Amino acid sequence: MRPFEVGDTEEVVALWDRCGLLRPWNDPRKDIERKLTVQPELFFVAESDGVVATAMAGYDGHRGWLYYVAVAPERRGEGIGRDIVAHSESALTNLGCPKINVQIRSGNDAVQSFWSGLGFEPDQATGMGKRLIPD
Ligand SMILES: CC(C)(COP(=O)(O)OP(=O)(O)OC[C@H]1O[C@@H](n2cnc3c(N)ncnc32)[C@H](O)[C@@H]1OP(=O)(O)O)[C@@H](O)C(=O)NCCC(=O)NCCS
């Protein structure tokens, strides 16, 4: 487990693609570029003969957030997802972050079991968003 390095970019984008996390309205390379300007030390990769998992964490002074939690399909079920989330939780806790939020896309409801197994609970809230910079 280590922080992302610029040289990981193409491998990470390919991993996200294989994990079904890419969307036409999110340019993954721009997402990475932006993350490298804000708390880049909270963008983690797990390496085992190449990058096999990612987690992009951030703390905004109120809540911590986790994005792009992904494990290579052929390496799932080994506890890597659990480990990279735990690694991110430790880093956020060290910053004094009291609570972490994750957003699960509609249609990816099955993944709720993964999160609930890690102690996450559904929030009584509806996520809303507004894009400020079109990609
Ligand atoms: C979700 C994901 C990160 C899990 O990674 P993983 O390395 O396979 O997870 P782990 O091996 O650490 O599993 C931890 C626990 O969650 C459970 N789990 C993992 N994926 C699950 C799923 N899709 N549905 C139900 N339970 C799941 C495991 O059985 C395990 O439970 P156990 O400890 O009782 O055995 C991986 O499936 C993935 O990359 N999915 C595609 C991307 C995605 O949807 N990311 C989340 C966006 S919100």
Side-chain angles (χ1 to χ4, degrees), residues 21-90:
L21 292 182
L22 300 188
R23 292 294 180 277
W25 53 89
N26 280 341
D27 180 333
R29 292 174 187 80
K30 284 189 181 166
D31 285 352
I32 290 172
E33 269 173 40
R34 291 182 181 119
K35 182 58 188 168
L36 296 181
T37 69
V38 182
Q39 298 178 323
E41 69 283 3
L42 297 182
F43 183 13
F44 301 112
V45 301
E47 195 171 29
S48 163
D49 204 12
V51 172
V52 295
T54 63
M56 187 187 277
Y59 176 44
D60 59 21
H62 180 59
R63 294 290 180 251
W65 291 86
L66 279 179
Y67 301 97
Y68 284 119
V69 172
V71 173
E74 68 279 8
R75 298 297 304 269
R76 290 184 190 162
E78 297 179 26
I80 299 173
R82 175 193 301 281
D83 286 351
I84 203 161
V85 170
H87 190 78
S88 306
E89 284 180 10
S90 297

Side-chain angles (χ1 to χ4, degrees), residues 12 14 18 57 89 114 117 130 134:
V12 164
R18 291 203 295 140
E89 284 180 10
F114 167 73
K130 179 179 179 180

Side-chain angles (χ1 to χ4, degrees), residues 54-135:
T54 63
M56 187 187 277
Y59 176 44
D60 59 21
H62 180 59
R63 294 290 180 251
W65 291 86
L66 279 179
Y67 301 97
Y68 284 119
V69 172
V71 173
E74 68 279 8
R75 298 297 304 269
R76 290 184 190 162
E78 297 179 26
I80 299 173
R82 175 193 301 281
D83 286 351
I84 203 161
V85 170
H87 190 78
S88 306
E89 284 180 10
S90 297
L92 291 168
T93 304
N94 288 340
L95 292 173
C97 169
K99 178 174 184 272
I100 304 178
N101 292 336
V102 292
Q103 292 198 299
I104 300 175
R105 285 197 179 114
S106 306
N108 195 15
D109 304 332
V111 86
Q112 267 197 28
S113 313
F114 167 73
W115 291 110
S116 54
L118 301 187
F120 287 70
E121 297 172 344
D123 277 332
Q124 298 308 310
T126 301
M128 291 181 69
K130 179 179 179 180
R131 184 168 275 284
L132 301 178
I133 304 174
D135 283 351

